[in-house]
CSV table of all heavy atoms in Angstrom, one decimal:
chain,number,residue,atom,x,y,z
A,145,GLU,N,107.4,121.9,86.3
A,145,GLU,CA,106.8,121.3,85.1
A,145,GLU,C,105.5,121.9,84.7
A,145,GLU,O,104.6,121.2,84.2
A,145,GLU,CB,106.7,119.7,85.4
A,145,GLU,CG,107.9,119.1,86.0
A,145,GLU,CD,109.1,119.0,85.0
A,145,GLU,OE1,108.9,119.1,83.8
A,145,GLU,OE2,110.2,119.0,85.5
A,164,GLN,N,106.7,118.0,91.5
A,164,GLN,CA,106.3,117.3,90.3
A,164,GLN,C,107.4,116.5,89.7
A,164,GLN,O,107.2,115.6,88.8
A,164,GLN,CB,105.9,118.3,89.2
A,164,GLN,CG,104.7,119.2,89.5
A,164,GLN,CD,104.7,120.4,88.6
A,164,GLN,OE1,105.7,121.2,88.7
A,164,GLN,NE2,103.7,120.7,87.9
A,165,SER,N,108.6,116.8,90.2
A,165,SER,CA,109.8,116.2,89.7
A,165,SER,C,111.0,116.7,90.5
A,165,SER,O,110.9,117.8,91.0
A,165,SER,CB,110.0,116.6,88.2
A,165,SER,OG,111.4,116.8,87.8
A,167,GLN,N,113.5,117.9,89.4
A,167,GLN,CA,114.3,118.6,88.4
A,167,GLN,C,115.3,119.6,88.9
A,167,GLN,O,116.5,119.5,88.6
A,167,GLN,CB,113.3,119.2,87.4
A,167,GLN,CG,114.0,119.9,86.2
A,167,GLN,CD,114.8,118.9,85.4
A,167,GLN,OE1,114.3,117.8,85.2
A,167,GLN,NE2,115.9,119.2,84.9
A,170,LYS,N,118.1,118.1,91.3
A,170,LYS,CA,119.1,117.2,90.7
A,170,LYS,C,120.1,118.1,90.0
A,170,LYS,O,121.3,117.8,90.0
A,170,LYS,CB,118.5,116.1,89.9
A,170,LYS,CG,117.7,116.4,88.7
A,170,LYS,CD,117.2,115.1,88.0
A,170,LYS,CE,116.3,115.5,86.8
A,170,LYS,NZ,115.9,114.3,86.0
A,189,ARG,N,101.6,114.9,90.5
A,189,ARG,CA,101.0,115.8,89.4
A,189,ARG,C,99.5,115.8,89.5
A,189,ARG,O,98.9,114.7,89.6
A,189,ARG,CB,101.4,115.3,88.1
A,189,ARG,CG,102.9,115.2,87.9
A,189,ARG,CD,103.5,115.9,86.7
A,189,ARG,NE,104.9,115.7,86.7
A,189,ARG,CZ,105.7,115.5,85.7
A,189,ARG,NH1,105.1,115.6,84.5
A,189,ARG,NH2,107.0,115.4,85.8
A,191,GLU,N,97.0,115.6,87.8
A,191,GLU,CA,96.6,115.2,86.4
A,191,GLU,C,95.1,115.1,86.4
A,191,GLU,O,94.5,114.3,87.0
A,191,GLU,CB,97.2,113.8,86.1
A,191,GLU,CG,98.6,113.8,85.8
A,191,GLU,CD,99.0,114.4,84.4
A,191,GLU,OE1,98.1,114.7,83.6
A,191,GLU,OE2,100.2,114.4,84.2
A,197,ARG,N,97.5,105.7,81.6
A,197,ARG,CA,98.9,106.0,81.7
A,197,ARG,C,99.3,107.1,82.7
A,197,ARG,O,100.4,107.5,82.8
A,197,ARG,CB,99.5,106.1,80.4
A,197,ARG,CG,98.6,106.8,79.3
A,197,ARG,CD,99.4,107.1,78.0
A,197,ARG,NE,99.4,105.9,77.2
A,197,ARG,CZ,100.1,105.8,76.0
A,197,ARG,NH1,100.9,106.8,75.6
A,197,ARG,NH2,100.1,104.7,75.3
A,198,HIS,N,98.3,107.7,83.3
A,198,HIS,CA,98.5,108.8,84.2
A,198,HIS,C,97.9,108.5,85.6
A,198,HIS,O,96.8,108.1,85.7
A,198,HIS,CB,97.8,110.1,83.7
A,198,HIS,CG,98.5,110.7,82.5
A,198,HIS,ND1,98.0,110.4,81.2
A,198,HIS,CD2,99.5,111.5,82.3
A,198,HIS,CE1,98.8,111.0,80.4
A,198,HIS,NE2,99.7,111.7,81.0
A,199,ILE,N,98.7,108.9,86.6
A,199,ILE,CA,98.3,108.8,88.0
A,199,ILE,C,98.8,110.1,88.7
A,199,ILE,O,99.6,110.8,88.1
A,199,ILE,CB,98.8,107.6,88.8
A,199,ILE,CG1,100.2,107.2,88.4
A,199,ILE,CG2,97.8,106.4,88.5
A,199,ILE,CD1,100.8,106.0,89.0
A,202,PHE,N,103.4,109.3,91.3
A,202,PHE,CA,104.1,108.2,90.5
A,202,PHE,C,105.5,108.1,90.9
A,202,PHE,O,106.1,109.0,91.5
A,202,PHE,CB,104.0,108.5,89.0
A,202,PHE,CG,104.7,109.7,88.5
A,202,PHE,CD1,106.0,109.6,88.0
A,202,PHE,CD2,104.1,111.0,88.5
A,202,PHE,CE1,106.7,110.7,87.5
A,202,PHE,CE2,104.8,112.1,88.0
A,202,PHE,CZ,106.0,112.0,87.5
A,206,ASP,N,115.1,109.5,88.5
A,206,ASP,CA,115.7,110.7,87.9
A,206,ASP,C,117.2,110.5,87.9
A,206,ASP,O,117.8,110.2,89.0
A,206,ASP,CB,115.3,112.0,88.6
A,206,ASP,CG,113.9,112.4,88.2
A,206,ASP,OD1,113.0,111.9,88.8
A,206,ASP,OD2,113.9,113.3,87.3
A,208,GLU,N,121.0,112.5,86.7
A,208,GLU,CA,121.6,113.7,86.2
A,208,GLU,C,123.1,113.5,86.2
A,208,GLU,O,123.7,112.9,87.1
A,208,GLU,CB,121.3,114.9,87.2
A,208,GLU,CG,121.4,116.3,86.6
A,208,GLU,CD,120.4,116.6,85.4
A,208,GLU,OE1,119.3,115.9,85.4
A,208,GLU,OE2,120.7,117.4,84.6
A,312,TYR,N,114.3,124.6,81.4
A,312,TYR,CA,115.7,124.1,81.6
A,312,TYR,C,116.3,123.3,80.5
A,312,TYR,O,117.4,122.9,80.5
A,312,TYR,CB,115.7,123.2,82.9
A,312,TYR,CG,114.6,122.2,83.0
A,312,TYR,CD1,114.7,121.0,82.3
A,312,TYR,CD2,113.4,122.4,83.6
A,312,TYR,CE1,113.7,120.0,82.3
A,312,TYR,CE2,112.3,121.5,83.6
A,312,TYR,CZ,112.5,120.3,83.0
A,312,TYR,OH,111.5,119.3,82.9
A,325,TYR,N,116.7,117.6,73.4
A,325,TYR,CA,115.8,116.8,74.2
A,325,TYR,C,115.3,115.5,73.5
A,325,TYR,O,115.2,115.5,72.3
A,325,TYR,CB,114.6,117.6,74.7
A,325,TYR,CG,114.6,117.8,76.2
A,325,TYR,CD1,115.7,118.5,76.7
A,325,TYR,CD2,113.7,117.2,77.0
A,325,TYR,CE1,115.8,118.6,78.1
A,325,TYR,CE2,113.8,117.3,78.4
A,325,TYR,CZ,114.9,118.0,78.9
A,325,TYR,OH,115.0,118.1,80.3
A,334,GLU,N,105.2,106.5,76.4
A,334,GLU,CA,106.4,107.3,76.8
A,334,GLU,C,106.9,106.8,78.2
A,334,GLU,O,106.1,106.9,79.2
A,334,GLU,CB,106.0,108.8,76.9
A,334,GLU,CG,107.2,109.7,77.3
A,334,GLU,CD,106.8,111.1,77.8
A,334,GLU,OE1,105.9,111.7,77.1
A,334,GLU,OE2,107.3,111.5,78.8
A,335,ILE,N,108.1,106.5,78.3
A,335,ILE,CA,108.7,105.9,79.6
A,335,ILE,C,109.6,107.0,80.2
A,335,ILE,O,109.6,107.1,81.4
A,335,ILE,CB,109.5,104.7,79.3
A,335,ILE,CG1,108.7,103.6,78.6
A,335,ILE,CG2,110.1,104.1,80.6
A,335,ILE,CD1,107.7,102.8,79.5
A,336,ALA,N,110.3,107.7,79.4
A,336,ALA,CA,111.3,108.7,80.0
A,336,ALA,C,111.4,109.9,79.1
A,336,ALA,O,111.1,109.8,77.9
A,336,ALA,CB,112.6,108.0,80.2
A,337,SER,N,111.9,110.9,79.6
A,337,SER,CA,112.1,112.1,78.8
A,337,SER,C,113.3,112.9,79.5
A,337,SER,O,113.5,112.9,80.7
A,337,SER,CB,110.8,112.9,78.9
A,337,SER,OG,111.0,114.3,78.8
A,338,GLY,N,114.2,113.4,78.6
A,338,GLY,CA,115.4,114.1,79.1
A,338,GLY,C,116.2,114.7,78.0
A,338,GLY,O,115.7,114.8,76.9
A,339,GLY,N,117.3,115.2,78.4
A,339,GLY,CA,118.2,115.8,77.4
A,339,GLY,C,119.2,116.7,78.1
A,339,GLY,O,119.4,116.6,79.3
A,341,ARG,N,120.7,120.2,79.6
A,341,ARG,CA,120.1,121.3,80.3
A,341,ARG,C,120.8,122.6,79.8
A,341,ARG,O,122.0,122.6,79.4
A,341,ARG,CB,120.3,121.2,81.8
A,341,ARG,CG,120.1,119.8,82.3
A,341,ARG,CD,118.7,119.3,82.1
A,341,ARG,NE,118.5,118.1,82.9
A,341,ARG,CZ,117.5,117.3,82.7
A,341,ARG,NH1,116.5,117.6,81.8
A,341,ARG,NH2,117.3,116.2,83.4
A,378,GLY,N,120.3,115.0,81.8
A,378,GLY,CA,119.7,113.9,82.5
A,378,GLY,C,118.3,113.5,82.0
A,378,GLY,O,117.9,114.0,81.0
A,379,TRP,N,117.6,112.7,82.8
A,379,TRP,CA,116.3,112.3,82.4
A,379,TRP,C,115.5,112.0,83.6
A,379,TRP,O,116.0,111.7,84.6
A,379,TRP,CB,116.3,111.2,81.4
A,379,TRP,CG,116.8,109.9,82.0
A,379,TRP,CD1,116.1,109.0,82.7
A,379,TRP,CD2,118.2,109.4,82.0
A,379,TRP,NE1,116.9,108.0,83.1
A,379,TRP,CE2,118.2,108.2,82.7
A,379,TRP,CE3,119.4,109.9,81.4
A,379,TRP,CZ2,119.4,107.5,82.9
A,379,TRP,CZ3,120.5,109.2,81.6
A,379,TRP,CH2,120.5,108.0,82.4
A,380,GLY,N,114.2,111.9,83.3
A,380,GLY,CA,113.2,111.4,84.4
A,380,GLY,C,112.5,110.2,83.7
A,380,GLY,O,112.0,110.3,82.6
A,381,LEU,N,112.4,109.1,84.4
A,381,LEU,CA,111.8,107.9,83.9
A,381,LEU,C,110.7,107.5,84.8
A,381,LEU,O,110.8,107.5,86.1
A,381,LEU,CB,112.9,106.8,83.9
A,381,LEU,CG,112.4,105.4,83.4
A,381,LEU,CD1,113.5,104.7,82.6
A,381,LEU,CD2,112.0,104.5,84.5
A,382,GLY,N,109.5,107.3,84.3
A,382,GLY,CA,108.4,106.9,85.1
A,382,GLY,C,108.5,105.4,85.5
A,382,GLY,O,108.3,104.5,84.6
A,385,ARG,N,105.3,103.4,84.8
A,385,ARG,CA,105.1,103.1,83.4
A,385,ARG,C,106.1,102.0,82.9
A,385,ARG,O,105.7,101.1,82.1
A,385,ARG,CB,105.3,104.3,82.5
A,385,ARG,CG,104.2,105.3,82.6
A,385,ARG,CD,104.2,106.3,81.5
A,385,ARG,NE,103.2,107.3,81.7
A,385,ARG,CZ,103.1,108.4,81.0
A,385,ARG,NH1,103.9,108.6,80.0
A,385,ARG,NH2,102.1,109.3,81.2
A,396,ILE,N,98.1,101.6,84.3
A,396,ILE,CA,99.3,101.9,85.2
A,396,ILE,C,98.9,101.7,86.6
A,396,ILE,O,99.8,101.4,87.4
A,396,ILE,CB,99.7,103.4,84.9
A,396,ILE,CG1,101.0,103.7,85.6
A,396,ILE,CG2,98.6,104.4,85.3
A,396,ILE,CD1,101.6,105.0,85.2
B,504,AMO,P1,108.3,114.4,82.3
B,504,AMO,O1,107.2,115.4,82.7
B,504,AMO,O2,108.2,114.0,80.8
B,504,AMO,O3,109.7,115.0,82.5
B,504,AMO,O4,108.2,113.2,83.2
B,504,AMO,C1,109.1,112.1,83.1
B,504,AMO,C2,108.5,110.8,83.1
B,504,AMO,O5,107.7,110.6,84.2
B,504,AMO,C3,106.5,109.8,83.9
B,504,AMO,N1,105.3,110.6,84.2
B,504,AMO,C4,104.2,110.0,84.7
B,504,AMO,N2,103.9,108.7,85.0
B,504,AMO,C5,102.6,108.5,85.5
B,504,AMO,N3,101.7,109.5,85.8
B,504,AMO,C6,102.0,110.8,85.5
B,504,AMO,N4,101.0,111.7,85.7
B,504,AMO,C7,103.2,111.1,84.9
B,504,AMO,N5,103.8,112.2,84.5
B,504,AMO,C8,105.1,111.9,84.1
B,504,AMO,C9,106.6,109.5,82.4
B,504,AMO,C10,107.5,110.6,81.9
B,504,AMO,O6,108.2,110.2,80.8
B,504,AMO,N6,111.9,116.9,84.7
B,504,AMO,C11,111.6,116.1,83.6
B,504,AMO,C12,112.6,115.0,83.3
B,504,AMO,C13,113.9,115.5,82.9
B,504,AMO,O7,114.0,116.3,82.0
B,504,AMO,O8,114.9,115.1,83.6
B,504,AMO,C14,110.2,115.6,83.6
B,504,AMO,O9,109.6,115.5,84.7
B,504,AMO,O10,107.1,108.2,82.3
Side-chain angles (χ1 to χ4, degrees):
E145 311 297 334
Q164 296 160 301
S165 147
Q167 184 62 38
K170 60 180 178 172
R189 304 230 181 149
E191 288 284 355
R197 35 176 81 188
H198 290 95
I199 39 182
F202 67 95
D206 281 83
E208 202 65 26
Y312 49 81
Y325 246 63
E334 179 197 316
I335 303 282
S337 147
R341 320 299 190 189
W379 66 85
L381 177 147
R385 286 197 187 171
I396 191 169

